[in-house]
Amino acid sequence: MLKYLKEISKYAGLIFFIILLIMPPFAGLNPAGQRALAVFVLVLSFWVTHVLPLSVTSLLGIALLPLLNVMSLEYTFSLFGSKAIFFILGALILASGLYQTGLGSRLAFKIISFSGSSPLKLLYGILFTAAFLSLIMPEHAVAALLFPIVLEIAVSLDLKPLESNYGKLLFLTMAWGTVIGGITTYLGGARNLLAVGLLEKHYGITIGFFEWIKYSWPLPFLLLIVFAVIITKFADIDISDTSSSLKKLKAKSEARGNLSGAEKRLIVILGLVVFSWLFLSNLINIAITALLGGVLIVAFKVVSWKEVEEYVNWGVILMYGGAIVVASSLVETGVTDWMAARFFSQLELAPFLFIFLLAIFTSILTEGVSNIASVAVILPLAFSAAEAYSLNPILLTLSVALSGGLAFLLPMGTPPNAIAFSSGYYQIKDALKWGLLLKVIGWLIYILVARFYWPLIGLETFI
């Protein structure tokens, strides 16, 4: 009986899809929006239940949107050309250079040598390295840099994709370390700067770089501690030591001898890319820099294009691209505006409960819609709805931006998750297991920070 119920539940999204298509549009939602919502429900359910491969599900979503007259064919296909897609593509090409030349192996040896033979210390090293780097550069750029190093460690330990619990933990730790660190400063995520820009536009109020850190730091700091405790106490680490990896990586490094010409060229190219990500991102978008870096490593014969083709997980590009197209259809047809307006307008709550539910709504929405889109849609509506409560707009801005960064569940939630998922070492259900716990704990930490810490440093709830 349970087996049949499980099979039926896999197709629940298809049932809701059909229902949404045949029923009249919800009040305030146009017919195109209703159909876009139906496609989103179907695609999201298929992603979670694995009825089809993720990339195939994304292609299904792209095909259904023009077929159901949600958006025109040309516009639907043009949305696949998102800068996030090309950033991930460029980042994976760069990662192939680190992996194929062996430079990633050298870096992996340096990282793993500090952990000795302890699998737990190695996870700590990856977690805190990812979080720290995300303080000074975009979180997806950090994931792009660490990915080939973590992959090298997994390969050297002979960890089997989808089978090894430790293999799953390595990539989830890398992804979530960058996500947690990325909410701390302006440099970690574009949504933070967008939120501050909207605040300045609406109220003429600005939040400085270090002022943002003063407000934000308790959330990522406590989340890192919580995640470290989860790894220590509850995670099933199925290897006893990492000394075999240390020996293999050391032998590889010694066998290669001095840096090869390809490695030296790669170091120069990566140095230029990272420099641009850190200091020139206002002039050159990081996606352009990633693509140019990918072009340069092939042009200067760091790797061949055949090696790139063998390394890059093209299915993840299709999956993430389809996710962006489907999510964009919700924005374009007004579904996100409708959801946010319905959510806010139907509630008559105590002010603090309103703020908390605002954070939850943003955090949930950002798993299916990019966090930048979530902030862009929700924050202006929150400003309007909060006028009745006389809430501090700085507090609202922080609530939306910080909670919008808590994307731990789905690969399409944020580029670090997509990059980690491209490893093939874990499935969505593996991320849901600990990711949902992290998200809930993140909400609880947010409540404590908003209720006790922010008033303590002078950020009052009301204006």
Side-chain angles (χ1 to χ4, degrees), residues 46-48 50 52-59 319 411-412 421 428:
F46 278 15
W47 277 330
V48 173
H50 268 263
L52 295 171
L54 295 181
S55 55
V56 176
T57 298
S58 289
L59 292 176
M319 181 274 296
M412 59 289 302
F421 187 78
I428 286 181

Side-chain angles (χ1 to χ4, degrees), residues 216-232:
S216 69
W217 75 266
L219 180 56
F221 177 75
L222 293 173
L223 260 181
L224 281 174
I225 293 175
V226 167
F227 190 30
V229 170
I230 288 174
I231 293 172
T232 306

Side-chain angles (χ1 to χ4, degrees), residues 323-362:
I324 287 176
V325 173
V326 173
S328 297
S329 74
L330 300 181
V331 178
E332 294 294 329
T333 57
V335 175
T336 48
D337 287 343
W338 174 80
M339 289 171 63
R342 295 278 293 182
F343 178 82
F344 295 133
S345 64
Q346 300 299 317
L347 299 177
E348 293 183 7
L349 301 168
F352 192 79
L353 184 55
F354 168 79
I355 295 170
F356 176 54
L357 290 177
L358 174 70
I360 290 180
F361 182 77
T362 307

Side-chain angles (χ1 to χ4, degrees), residues 42 57 75 87 162 253 278 286 314 355 439:
L42 177 68
T57 298
Y75 188 66
F87 171 82
L162 303 181
S253 295
L278 282 173
I286 60 173
W314 301 100
I355 295 170
K439 186 177 279 286

Side-chain angles (χ1 to χ4, degrees), residues 98-408:
L98 279 167
Y99 187 75
Q100 302 285 6
T101 62
L103 184 59
S105 179
R106 294 181 192 271
L107 294 172
F109 171 67
K110 294 294 183 183
I111 290 176
I112 203 172
S113 63
F114 289 110
S115 68
S117 60
S118 169
L120 189 59
K121 287 182 179 178
L122 177 56
L123 289 174
Y124 288 160
I126 293 170
L127 175 64
F128 292 111
T129 298
F132 174 76
L133 289 176
S134 293
L135 301 179
I136 58 174
M137 61 192 297
E139 58 187 30
H140 34 310
V142 175
L145 287 177
L146 291 181
F147 176 75
I149 299 170
V150 175
L151 182 62
E152 188 73 43
I153 291 171
V155 171
S156 67
L157 287 169
D158 295 321
L159 304 179
K160 294 184 178 180
L162 303 181
E163 294 182 18
S164 168
N165 287 326
Y166 193 69
K168 297 171 184 177
L169 283 171
L170 281 173
F171 289 97
L172 289 173
T173 298
M174 179 204 76
W176 293 344
T178 62
V179 168
I180 293 170
I183 66 179
T184 314
T185 73
Y186 286 164
L187 302 176
R191 67 188 171 276
N192 298 340
L193 281 173
L194 172 63
V196 173
L198 290 171
L199 174 68
E200 189 169 4
K201 179 181 177 182
H202 280 77
Y203 293 95
I205 300 172
T206 253
I207 302 176
F209 182 85
F210 291 104
E211 189 180 8
W212 180 277
I213 296 174
K214 181 180 72 173
Y215 292 138
S216 69
W217 75 266
L219 180 56
F221 177 75
L222 293 173
L223 260 181
L224 281 174
I225 293 175
V226 167
F227 190 30
V229 170
I230 288 174
I231 293 172
T232 306
K233 300 294 184 181
F234 304 108
D236 182 14
I237 297 177
D238 53 359
I239 64 172
S240 57
D241 68 79
T242 56
S243 57
S244 61
S245 174
L246 188 62
K247 290 176 183 176
K248 288 179 183 178
L249 293 173
K250 183 179 180 181
K252 275 189 176 183
S253 295
E254 290 176 349
R256 287 191 179 93
N258 296 327
L259 289 171
S260 67
E263 287 175 295
K264 290 176 181 177
R265 293 193 295 275
L266 180 59
I267 289 172
V268 172
I269 293 168
L270 283 176
L272 292 172
V273 168
V274 173
F275 179 85
S276 179
W277 283 344
L278 282 173
F279 303 110
L280 303 177
S281 57
N282 289 334
L283 299 174
I284 308 174
N285 187 273
I286 60 173
I288 294 175
T289 306
L291 284 176
L292 289 175
V295 170
L296 288 174
I297 68 168
V298 176
F300 284 92
K301 302 189 184 306
V302 174
V303 291
S304 68
W305 181 246
K306 184 179 180 181
E307 289 173 317
V308 171
E309 287 182 314
E310 292 171 352
Y311 177 89
V312 173
N313 187 333
W314 301 100
V316 167
I317 302 294
L318 293 175
M319 181 274 296
Y320 200 83
I324 287 176
V325 173
V326 173
S328 297
S329 74
L330 300 181
V331 178
E332 294 294 329
T333 57
V335 175
T336 48
D337 287 343
W338 174 80
M339 289 171 63
R342 295 278 293 182
F343 178 82
F344 295 133
S345 64
Q346 300 299 317
L347 299 177
E348 293 183 7
L349 301 168
F352 192 79
L353 184 55
F354 168 79
I355 295 170
F356 176 54
L357 290 177
L358 174 70
I360 290 180
F361 182 77
T362 307
S363 181
I364 292 173
L365 187 62
T366 199
E367 293 291 350
V369 180
S370 78
N371 44 40
I372 295 176
S374 298
V375 170
V377 167
I378 294 174
L379 194 53
L381 290 167
F383 286 154
S384 300
E387 289 176 3
Y389 295 102
S390 298
L391 291 169
N392 190 330
I394 295 178
L395 183 140
L396 286 176
T397 302
L398 291 167
S399 297
V400 172
L402 296 180
S403 58
L406 301 177
F408 300 117

